[in-house]
Amino acid sequence: MVAKPRIGILALQGAVRPHVEKLERLGVEPVEVLTPYSLRSVEGLIVPGGESTAFLHLIEMNNLWDALLEFSGEKPLWGICAGAILMAAEVLHPAQRSLNVFDVTVERNAYGRQLQSFVSALEPSPAWEEEEVEGVFIRAPRIKSLGARVVPLLSYKNETVMAREGKHLISTFHPELTESSAIHRYFLGLCGTA
Ligand code: GLN
């Protein structure tokens, strides 16, 4: 029997379980990553939504900072909401440390109080050739600027909410909370496992 490809989910905190289910449905083996060692066996890593400040603390405590940087040089990362904040080149509101592996500036909690959580259809850019998807936004950040090599994939009210840079992906909304598996499938494509 051929071994299933393995995709990691950084499982320090946040929305882990819905990703496990999506990945299982797509026929890959989800691996809950808690240590540098478990990064060695996966073809890509989902950095899920949660609270980016808590992630920063837990990444330090678990000795994962350098391991994540090293991994990002070799294999794809997909940062979702707090995960996108962790991957960004620059974080505002307030400024905080980040891995600086994806050339965007993001502003945390940028949709204001009454809009802290909402669901909306998303507009595809020409580079998004998959099915239409909707986005669940939960105290989401806003992408304030994109570097020259960043390719916008989906937008909401004319602002990019999902983008690709090389092999890496970020989304400011939560694709694990909607029925469609299109974005998970797209990420598996970046990992070479779809
Ligand atoms: N508001 C959170 C932060 O700033 C992100 C929320 C999320 O991941 N859904 O880290």
Side-chain angles (χ1 to χ4, degrees):
M1 201 178 103
V2 181
K4 284 185 188 174
R6 291 157 65 89
I7 298 292
I9 307 155
L10 189 61
L12 297 169
Q13 63 118 222
V16 176
R17 191 70 222 166
H19 288 294
V20 168
E21 286 162 17
K22 286 265 188 226
L23 293 175
E24 280 174 347
R25 241 180 284 155
L26 290 169
V28 301
E29 187 181 333
V31 176
E32 298 193 18
V33 169
L34 289 163
T35 60
Y37 181 79
S38 45
L39 272 176
R40 290 190 200 167
S41 69
V42 298
E43 298 308 315
L45 180 72
I46 297 174
V47 186
E51 194 59 40
S52 54
T53 47
F55 265 117
L56 282 175
H57 184 61
L58 293 165
I59 286 171
E60 294 288 355
M61 277 185 32
N62 289 275
N63 220 1
L64 274 160
W65 192 270
D66 289 343
L68 286 171
L69 282 177
E70 199 178 312
F71 185 85
S72 74
E74 291 162 11
K75 292 182 178 163
L77 289 181
W78 172 18
I80 296 165
C81 201
I85 295 168
L86 284 173
M87 285 170 63
E90 189 185 12
V91 180
L92 308 173
H93 191 239
Q96 69 186 29
R97 193 176 178 209
S98 56
L99 290 167
N100 186 12
V101 295
F102 201 104
D103 194 9
V104 287
T105 298
V106 297
E107 182 183 328
R108 294 179 61 205
N109 301 319
Y111 287 96
R113 268 176 185 277
Q114 67 279 43
L115 282 177
Q116 277 175 341
S117 301
F118 60 98
V119 184
S120 173
L122 302 176
E123 301 123 30
S125 81
W128 181 249
E129 293 171 345
E130 318 299 321
E131 67 194 43
E132 282 183 26
V133 288
E134 41 174 37
V136 178
F137 293 82
I138 304 169
R139 300 186 68 230
R142 244 167 156 144
I143 300 174
K144 303 300 276 187
S145 67
L146 294 79
R149 285 188 306 277
V150 176
V151 180
L153 295 172
L154 294 167
S155 61
Y156 166 72
K157 291 190 175 170
N158 294 323
E159 283 182 7
T160 299
V161 292
M162 183 165 98
R164 172 183 175 174
E165 184 181 19
K167 54 187 175 301
H168 299 313
L169 186 66
I170 58 167
S171 56
T172 61
F173 59 94
H174 287 258
E176 76 281 12
L177 298 181
T178 40
E179 212 33 62
S180 166
S181 295
I183 300 176
H184 285 77
R185 212 175 304 116
Y186 183 81
F187 182 62
L188 295 187
L190 296 180
C191 301
T193 61

